[in-house]
Amino acid sequence: QVWSDYLSVRLHPKSIYVIRQYMHDGDCGCLEAFGQGESLLQDPGCIEELEDRLHFYVEECDYLQGFQVLCDLHNGFSGVGAKVTELLCDEYSGKGILTWGLTPTISCLHRSNGWILFPQDPQKNVYRLMNTALGIAHLSSHSSLFCPLSLSGSLGIK
């Protein structure tokens, strides 16, 4: 049903929060825009659930030094990550927040005469560019250290 079902490592149930409307058989399509992700965390029920899960782990810490956030930049999860880092910054202002902005590589195929890029939808490229720009701006403003991470030198953007 979800990506965590395929892991061989067992995760604590409090560490997984499934966004039901964006599952494979959910009500909505893809989570492809920064604003979609940001609006998910405008729901008071969602914020309350996230805070409960966060407090569960924080209370287990003897000496909390900070947080590490791994977040996709190229899709709507950049908006989710931006709101999560904002929440962490507000709730735990004295703690460090190390944020990793993750982007995929551009899809390509290797032939004997060189690399060939697969054609991509121009609208998806615009979404990817805008999500990445907004994600970098918002995540870096609420993080102690922001580090973009990609196997591509262009952050996955043509």
Side-chain angles (χ1 to χ4, degrees):
Q1 294 280 335
V2 295
W3 65 268
S4 58
D5 293 342
Y6 297 98
L7 293 175
S8 59
V9 177
R10 301 221 355 118
L11 300 174
H12 192 281
K14 290 260 187 193
S15 66
I16 301 170
Y17 182 72
V18 178
I19 303 169
R20 300 243 178 255
Q21 61 264 44
Y22 289 102
M23 288 178 63
H24 295 289
D25 57 351
D27 302 337
C28 304
C30 294
L31 185 60
E32 59 185 13
F34 183 89
Q36 286 177 309
E38 207 174 29
S39 68
L40 281 173
L41 294 181
Q42 301 294 339
D43 177 30
C46 181
I47 291 286
E48 184 178 321
E49 180 70 25
L50 210 89
E51 286 176 343
D52 287 346
R53 290 169 184 260
L54 180 63
H55 290 293
F56 173 80
Y57 284 107
V58 169
E59 289 169 2
E60 294 293 318
C61 295
D62 291 331
Y63 180 68
L64 178 67
Q65 294 180 357
F67 301 92
Q68 284 195 52
V69 178
L70 283 85
C71 178
D72 285 339
L73 287 177
H74 67 284
N75 57 24
F77 285 103
S78 61
V80 173
K83 292 306 271 185
V84 167
T85 54
E86 183 179 339
L87 171 76
L88 291 173
C89 189
D90 291 344
E91 291 277 325
Y92 304 96
S93 59
K95 306 300 180 191
I97 302 171
L98 171 59
T99 305
W100 302 92
L102 311 172
T103 60
T105 59
I106 299 172
S107 300
C108 55
L109 173 68
H110 184 265
R111 287 194 178 169
S112 59
N113 59 352
W115 292 92
I116 298 174
L117 295 175
F118 288 128
Q120 291 185 348
D121 182 11
Q123 183 178 3
K124 287 189 179 191
N125 283 335
V126 170
Y127 274 134
R128 180 178 280 195
L129 177 63
M130 292 303 297
N131 292 333
T132 302
L134 288 167
I136 289 172
H138 284 80
L139 289 167
S140 61
S141 68
H142 297 295
S143 301
S144 306
L145 177 65
F146 174 78
C147 183
L149 189 61
S150 179
L151 294 175
S152 172
S154 65
L155 291 177
I157 301 168
K158 282 190 352 183

